[in-house]
Amino acid sequence: MMEEKVREAIVPELERQSESDRSKLRIELDGDRLIANRDIDLLALAKAIVGAVAGAP
């Protein structure tokens, strides 16, 4: 399903962003809910989602 691909792209990208600078973003997963605190690079997130939907690694 497309929704699963999008979810599978969002979580790793946000984890990557939070690991690169812990002072900017903290994320927490609670089942199908995601709690984000601080800035999110939307362009990087959009690229990850588009790549997942288009079939990129």
Side-chain angles (χ1 to χ4, degrees):
M1 259 187 164
M2 185 176 295
E3 290 87 355
E4 291 171 3
K5 287 183 179 183
V6 170
R7 184 187 190 286
E8 290 171 4
I10 291 172
V11 173
E13 173 57 24
L14 292 179
E15 287 174 341
R16 184 195 68 74
Q17 288 185 30
S18 71
E19 290 170 357
S20 70
D21 187 353
R22 294 200 181 271
S23 67
K24 282 193 169 186
L25 176 63
R26 290 188 326 225
I27 64 166
E28 180 181 332
L29 292 172
D30 183 13
D32 283 338
R33 300 186 61 81
L34 180 129
I35 302 163
N37 181 359
R38 303 285 177 168
D39 297 338
I40 295 173
D41 182 343
L42 288 179
L43 183 57
L45 182 58
K47 287 179 182 180
I49 293 169
V50 169
V53 173

